Amino acid sequence: MLFVLCAHFIVSLAAPILFSKWGRSAFYVLAAVPALGFIWLVAQYPKVYSDVLPSPSVDIAWIPVFDLDLTFRMDQLAWLMSLLILGVGALVLAYCARYFKSNDAGLGGFGAQLLAFAGVMFGLVTADNLILLFVFWELTTILSFLLIGYARTRIAARRAALQALIVTTFGGLAMLVGLIMVGETAGTYSISQVMALAPELVAAEGSARTVVNVGIGLLLIGAVSKSALLPFHFWLPGAMAAPTPVSAYLHAAAMVKAGIYLVARLAPGFSETQYWQIMIVVLGLGTMLLGGWRALRQYDLKLLLAYGTVSQLGFITLVVGLGSEEAAMAGMAMVLAHGLFKAALFLVVGIIDHQSGTRDIRELSGVFKSAPKLGVVALVGAASMAGLPPLAGFVAKEGIFQAFIASAAYGPAGAVVGWTVVVGLVVGSILTFAYSARFMWCGFSTKSKGMASVFKPVSWLFLAAPAILSALTLAFGFFPHTVESWIKPYSGQFPAYDPKGLHLLLWHGLTPALGLTVIVVAGGLVLFFLRQQVETLQARLPAPIDSERGYRQIIVLLDVVAIWVTGRTQRGSLFFYLAVILSTNVAAVLAVLFLTEQNWSATLYFIDPGSPFQILVGLAIAVGAISAARASKRFMAVLLVSVTGYGIALIFALQGAPDLALTQMLVETIILVAFVLAMRQLPAGLLERKSAGSHRVVRLILGVAFGAAMIAVAIVAMGSRIHDPVSLGLPEMAYVGGGGLNVVNVTLVDIRAWDTYGEIAVLAIAATGVASLIFVRGRGQRLPRAETVKAGSVGRVSENLTEATVKIATKFTASSGNTWLVAGRTLAPERRSIIIEVVTRLLFHSIIIISIYLLLAGHNSPGGGFAGGLVAGLALTIRYLAGGRFELAEATRISAGALLGLGLALAALTGMAPLFFGGDVFQSAIISFTAPVFGDVKFVTSTLFDIGVYLVVVGLVVDVLRSLGSEIDQHEEDGTGSIELIADDEPLEVGK
């Protein structure tokens, strides 16, 4: 099970490479992943439905403190849902190979996201932990946002993607609160254990009962938002801006079924809670009627199916959530039937759009005559949607009618409520029949003589996916007893209302359910033949519920409030920001110190007796800080601030912390470089504002108060210790568990690896933020190489340069046969520094070797991936200073984004790899062996994690150099027109 889940994510990572090699045919490779998973799923049938053999399950301890385990369980309900997720997912991915063109942009990312979505849905239905289920739930939200917004250049797609993200995230947050309430009340977050305790939780008294009722209600809010029920239904029609394969999978067989799955999962234990029935009945029935009514006025075939999907999602939710054995049986049958026929119909619409260029029923004509095979496939799907025999939709709908008739007669809700719901179901089914007929007639018929759509022939490969789905719909209708055997173990958990029981059959005889079907067909035909009058009536009637308008008004209100708050808090004044932050901190510290009893018994001293030299360093830091505050030049202020940073590094060294000292020194150097590069675009002087004088006293008071508050915090913290320091046990833990002598490095890459991974993720985000502020044309563009520039054209040649100076620079360039440092070929003579170039030639490779040494030696000696990455970044900085942006391009053939991504991916894979060997996430393995030349070697797998950190840090430095260095250089050159690009085949002129 874990292998199937991971296979989806691993192959999705490789998808861009596959598409770059094979184009759209790579979709077939992606389709093989869920297809093989489907085969594995079918092979698990004996275990899943056996009373003797254990069901497939995986249980990996992850974060035991929070009761969060990687627990997956394949029971009958998960098996049924996985049939749709993996089976339909494989067919949709294969369909994409013919739907898209090889030159369509972004296919690699799209294919990766669609395959990952299939994996996430598989993880969602098999997860046996409430928090793990929520993680997968939110991943579906994120991936659906990306898939709906595939056409990034279309504002409708971006707006629809954002709308779906906001609505489903709102439901997800409500669901998270409900999960915590239920999990804490049950004392466990295991779904199977929570369901086992459900009778006790429902029967609890007092506050515990209230918490459970409210928690289940919040869970249902999450379910109805994901499955597009009232009042959240509007996001689904808007999501039709996505490519048709996305609609066929996410909005027919996968994502929208997540909410229904949650209802089905909770119904056996919690259908009797206080808010369950009212929410399920009102929202389900209301959604069914509203969606069906709206579908009758749509001219876009895809929108017609979208509103039909909204209607049927309400229908299915109502049935699955009823809480009886008969409804559970019929409801799960409808889940499977709907996934088959609705996915097939969406794929058919995709073919129509692809072959004719339109989905508008007012423009389509003669499609059935032009593509009879496509018409037959669509007819099977539409007939099943309408509930006609001998198809899956008919079998499931007959069962549903029978279940609700039994509920009206024997159910706890009573006859009035029961029969009212039955009438509502009949009306909703009439609407379903009518829009099914509208779909077939208006989409495929020949509407007037001489009118026919230009329709290209449809290949069997293109038609295969919807044809298979329609064939399965037909097979379901003829062999319903097989499907019944799949559902029976799940439905058996509910109480039975009908004394006769319910069986899925194609023919039940002359029953009341059959009579209701006859009424549905007759009423649907009447609505279809009176479709023009119905459209006129709909045009006159106001919209009964316009949730989308309400959503937009809420968003506008939030924008207005955000602008108001931003205008009063983000005032563009650094003094204001710092004053608020520092005064809040001081006030919080003072409140704690004076309102609570504190321990001031810590031993105090002003100078460390073991290192009196610290007083000189402290004075230097103080002088640097005061001088920086009084400096009148930006560059001088930055240098003085750096004095404080280097002074702190020296204090670390004096305290016996070489790792901290080394890292602080390197970070300070990189920050100094970044400041200097950025200051090129700023005035040299620090201009005094008119109001600066009035704030000096306030600044002084805040600075002194904040410093004093931090000193007080440190004293109280040291004096309040009641246990031995944690650090006392770290050396032994680092050596025994992490295999290293350097406690600091082992802590970073092993003991606290989760923290480090979060930190490097923040570094990647910070690099992206810096780049987004600087880059205008796109961060992903490669830097221009030296061969694209005419020699000596970067930077204007000063008229004051003597001819001898130019000749010397030219001679130095011409005599150098080594093209490793390209400054001589790109920079004008007055922009070059021969000294820096010589120093760079001497030191660059040595610095790189040192950085690699620090990386590999850091496990036992001072160093590590962070320090090594910073040293490598300094080496690249030296090359940039020597040769400018073209030299940086020569030195960094791999983009900064690729380095950041590779580093994060390597760190993540290092963390996940132990799971495949029965270990914990980020657990290190110590491998000892003897190698020729090297002798005895002890390799710790956390070194790979450290390499990931190294790559992320190097990527960050490269991004900073590109953003604050190369890009600003480019802006300056564009402003002066001093650079001349040449064609690839034009020879270079050296020495100009």
Side-chain angles (χ1 to χ4, degrees):
M1 189 188 312
L2 192 61
F3 177 79
V4 174
L5 181 64
C6 293
H8 283 77
F9 300 136
I10 293 172
V11 177
S12 67
L13 291 175
I17 300 174
L18 298 177
F19 278 92
S20 66
K21 291 181 176 295
W22 299 326
R24 66 177 184 174
S25 297
F27 276 114
Y28 291 124
V29 179
L30 302 190
V33 177
L36 292 174
F38 183 84
I39 295 172
W40 172 88
L41 183 70
V42 173
Q44 301 306 305
Y45 177 84
K47 293 182 180 180
V48 174
Y49 286 87
S50 172
D51 296 330
V52 180
L53 298 174
S55 297
S57 62
V58 176
D59 191 357
I60 301 172
W62 187 11
I63 310 177
V65 175
F66 298 110
D67 198 13
L68 179 54
D69 300 324
L70 299 176
T71 307
F72 301 91
R73 185 168 62 95
M74 180 67 72
D75 62 359
Q76 292 86 3
L77 179 60
W79 191 85
L80 287 169
M81 298 300 298
S82 297
L83 285 177
L84 281 179
I85 293 166
L86 298 177
V88 177
L91 292 174
V92 169
L93 282 166
Y95 171 91
C96 290
R98 304 265 63 86
Y99 178 83
F100 291 101
K101 299 176 182 178
S102 293
N103 58 352
D104 284 342
L107 284 187
F110 175 84
Q113 293 156 11
L114 192 57
L115 180 61
F117 188 92
V120 167
M121 278 300 302
F122 180 73
L124 189 151
V125 299
T126 56
D128 193 35
N129 183 282
L130 291 173
I131 302 300
L132 183 62
L133 181 145
F134 175 76
V135 171
F136 284 113
W137 187 278
E138 289 306 298
L139 286 175
T140 63
T141 297
I142 295 170
L143 288 171
S144 68
F145 167 76
L146 296 174
L147 290 167
I148 294 170
Y150 166 71
R152 296 183 294 273
T153 57
R154 293 173 49 208
I155 189 171
R158 298 202 304 272
R159 183 182 292 122
L162 185 60
Q163 179 176 268
L165 178 70
I166 292 173
V167 172
T168 54
T169 299
F170 167 79
L173 292 175
M175 174 181 160
L176 176 61
V177 177
L179 290 175
I180 294 174
M181 294 173 73
V182 173
E184 288 298 316
T185 306
T188 177
Y189 283 87
S190 169
I191 296 177
S192 55
Q193 293 180 25
V194 168
M195 295 306 298
L197 295 171
E200 300 176 19
L201 296 174
V202 174
E205 299 294 337
S207 60
R209 180 174 187 149
T210 302
V211 170
V212 171
N213 287 331
V214 173
I216 294 299
L218 292 172
L219 286 172
L220 289 180
I221 291 177
V224 300
S225 67
K226 184 73 78 173
S227 291
L229 269 65
L230 284 172
F232 308 107
H233 62 284
F234 57 89
W235 73 260
L236 182 56
M240 294 303 106
T244 300
V246 174
S247 303
Y249 190 46
L250 273 66
H251 306 139
M255 178 179 173
V256 294
K257 293 294 195 302
I260 292 173
Y261 163 76
L262 185 61
V263 172
R265 177 61 73 189
L266 297 175
F270 297 99
S271 60
E272 297 180 3
T273 51
Q274 183 175 356
Y275 307 113
W276 182 281
Q277 290 297 335
I278 187 69
M279 292 181 68
I280 291 295
V281 172
V282 173
L283 298 181
L285 190 58
T287 303
M288 182 184 186
L289 296 174
L290 180 66
W293 178 252
R294 293 263 179 98
L296 293 177
R297 62 186 300 179
Q298 304 305 317
Y299 296 102
D300 186 326
L301 285 177
K302 200 173 177 184
L303 277 180
L304 190 155
L305 291 179
Y307 280 102
T309 300
V310 168
S311 175
Q312 296 211 305
L313 289 172
F315 179 36
I316 296 171
T317 302
L318 171 61
V319 180
V320 171
L322 182 63
S324 71
E325 181 179 3
E326 299 82 10
M329 173 68 73
M332 291 308 301
M334 181 55 79
V335 168
L336 296 176
H338 178 263
L340 294 175
F341 67 68
K342 189 57 65 72
L345 291 175
F346 269 118
L347 296 180
V348 165
V349 170
I351 294 175
I352 293 174
D353 190 16
H354 189 276
Q355 302 301 100
S356 66
T358 183
R359 302 190 304 256
D360 195 324
I361 59 177
R362 293 166 295 188
E363 300 176 8
L364 291 170
S365 180
V367 174
F368 198 101
K369 184 180 296 185
S370 301
K373 294 179 291 185
L374 180 67
V376 170
V377 170
L379 181 61
V380 172
S384 183
M385 181 166 64
L388 294 177
L391 302 168
F394 172 77
V395 173
K397 189 168 289 186
E398 284 283 289
I400 291 172
F401 284 154
Q402 186 175 336
F404 276 85
I405 291 172
S407 175
Y410 308 106
V416 175
V417 174
W419 287 110
T420 301
V421 174
V422 170
V423 171
L425 288 178
V426 171
V427 174
S429 299
I430 290 173
L431 295 173
T432 301
F433 187 97
Y435 67 68
S436 300
R438 178 183 179 88
F439 175 87
M440 275 308 299
W441 177 262
C442 298
F444 288 86
S445 66
T446 302
K447 298 182 178 62
S448 61
K449 190 174 182 180
M451 177 184 177
S453 301
V454 178
F455 207 85
K456 303 174 185 176
V458 184
S459 66
W460 273 110
L461 275 178
F462 203 3
L463 188 60
I468 292 173
L469 292 170
S470 292
L472 291 173
T473 299
L474 189 61
F476 184 168
F478 281 110
F479 303 101
H481 56 277
T482 302
V483 178
E484 180 182 341
S485 67
W486 298 345
I487 305 173
K488 187 66 177 176
Y490 167 75
S491 63
Q493 302 176 69
F494 295 87
Y497 291 167
D498 192 344
K500 300 179 182 179
L502 173 67
H503 297 282
L504 298 178
L505 298 172
L506 186 58
W507 173 251
H508 288 272
L510 300 176
T511 62
L514 183 62
L516 293 180
T517 298
V518 173
I519 294 174
V520 167
V521 172
L525 288 173
V526 170
L527 274 182
F528 171 70
F529 287 120
L530 297 177
R531 57 187 178 277
Q532 293 183 349
Q533 291 86 339
V534 171
E535 290 178 12
T536 303
L537 176 63
Q538 287 184 323
R540 293 178 179 177
L541 292 176
I545 300 176
D546 196 348
S547 299
E548 186 170 9
R549 178 179 297 176
Y551 161 82
R552 291 177 179 174
Q553 290 174 345
I554 292 173
I555 296 299
V556 170
L557 178 61
L558 289 176
D559 286 341
V560 171
V561 173
I563 292 171
W564 184 87
V565 172
T566 303
R568 282 154 181 77
T569 57
Q570 303 297 314
R571 299 164 57 179
S573 169
L574 180 60
F575 165 74
F576 176 79
Y577 301 151
L578 291 176
V580 171
I581 294 171
L582 298 181
S583 60
T584 302
N585 279 274
V586 171
V589 170
L590 290 177
V592 174
L593 291 178
F594 288 102
L595 297 180
T596 60
E597 184 178 352
Q598 303 296 335
N599 188 352
W600 295 84
S601 61
T603 302
L604 304 178
Y605 53 84
F606 293 96
I607 302 173
D608 189 348
S611 181
F613 183 67
Q614 288 184 12
I615 189 171
L616 298 179
V617 180
L619 289 174
I621 293 174
V623 170
I626 296 172
S627 301
R630 298 181 58 82
S632 60
K633 300 292 185 180
R634 294 184 191 275
F635 184 72
M636 181 58 66
V638 169
L639 289 180
L640 291 170
V641 169
S642 296
V643 169
T644 65
Y646 288 121
I648 293 173
L650 186 54
I651 287 181
F652 287 154
L654 293 174
Q655 286 288 342
D659 271 289
L660 295 180
L662 176 63
T663 303
Q664 172 68 23
M665 182 186 67
L666 294 172
V667 168
E668 194 64 41
T669 304
I670 289 293
I671 291 176
L672 176 61
V673 170
F675 268 116
V676 171
L677 291 176
M679 283 193 305
R680 294 180 297 166
Q681 297 293 96
L682 300 175
L686 289 168
L687 302 178
E688 289 288 340
R689 293 186 174 88
K690 294 181 180 179
S691 60
S694 61
H695 291 318
R696 282 180 178 173
V697 176
V698 178
R699 292 173 179 175
L700 179 62
I701 294 173
L702 277 177
V704 172
F706 183 75
M710 292 302 101
I711 293 172
V713 169
I715 294 173
V716 171
M718 296 298 293
S720 301
R721 185 185 299 279
I722 58 176
H723 295 290
D724 293 335
V726 176
S727 58
L728 296 179
L730 287 180
E732 181 180 0
M733 188 184 302
Y735 185 74
V736 175
L741 296 173
N742 185 350
V743 179
V744 174
N745 182 259
V746 175
T747 300
L748 291 175
V749 301
D750 189 312
I751 301 173
R752 301 295 296 272
W754 274 109
D755 291 349
T756 305
Y757 187 79
E759 290 163 3
I760 62 175
V762 170
L763 284 179
I765 295 171
T768 303
V770 170
S772 66
L773 292 174
I774 302 296
F775 285 93
V776 177
R777 294 181 297 275
R779 179 191 183 190
Q781 288 186 341
R782 293 184 177 181
L783 292 172
R785 300 284 300 281
E787 57 265 23
T788 63
V789 182
K790 285 211 172 185
S793 66
V794 180
R796 290 181 174 178
V797 179
S798 173
E799 295 178 357
N800 297 326
L801 282 178
T802 64
E803 184 178 352
T805 304
V806 176
K807 286 183 177 180
I808 291 173
T810 304
K811 183 177 181 181
F812 180 82
T813 302
S815 63
S816 176
N818 184 5
T819 60
W820 175 71
L821 199 60
V822 298
R825 294 193 295 146
T826 58
L827 294 180
E830 74 271 24
R831 294 281 299 272
R832 296 176 59 191
S833 171
I834 303 302
I835 296 176
I836 294 181
E837 291 180 27
V838 172
V839 170
T840 302
R841 291 179 184 274
L842 292 174
L843 295 183
F844 175 79
H845 299 91
S846 300
I847 297 175
I848 292 294
I849 294 298
I850 292 173
S851 78
I852 297 174
Y853 168 78
L854 290 173
L855 167 65
L856 299 179
H859 214 63
N860 294 292
S861 304
F866 196 80
L870 289 173
V871 172
L874 288 175
L876 294 173
T877 302
I878 294 173
R879 283 192 68 171
Y880 165 73
L881 295 175
R885 63 190 182 94
F886 296 99
E887 183 61 35
L888 182 63
E890 298 294 328
T892 56
R893 303 293 180 88
I894 302 177
S895 69
L899 287 171
L900 292 167
L902 286 173
L904 284 174
L906 180 58
L909 290 175
T910 304
M912 297 299 293
L915 296 177
F916 296 96
F917 301 95
D920 296 328
V921 179
F922 286 118
Q923 180 177 346
S924 297
I926 303 173
I927 305 171
S928 298
F929 59 93
T930 301
V933 180
F934 296 99
D936 294 333
V937 177
K938 184 174 75 171
F939 176 77
V940 185
T941 54
S942 59
T943 303
L944 300 175
F945 181 87
D946 221 6
I947 295 174
V949 175
Y950 180 92
L951 293 175
V952 169
V953 174
V954 173
L956 171 66
V957 175
V958 172
D959 225 349
V960 170
L961 292 176
R962 288 193 62 188
S963 304
L964 302 179
S966 299
E967 190 70 8
I968 292 179
D969 290 344
Q970 178 70 57
H971 292 168
E972 292 178 348
E973 292 160 9
D974 291 343
T976 60
S978 60
I979 181 170
E980 184 179 356
L981 297 179
I982 62 174
D984 291 340
D985 55 351
E986 186 175 344
L988 293 173
E989 299 181 25
V990 180
K992 279 191 177 181

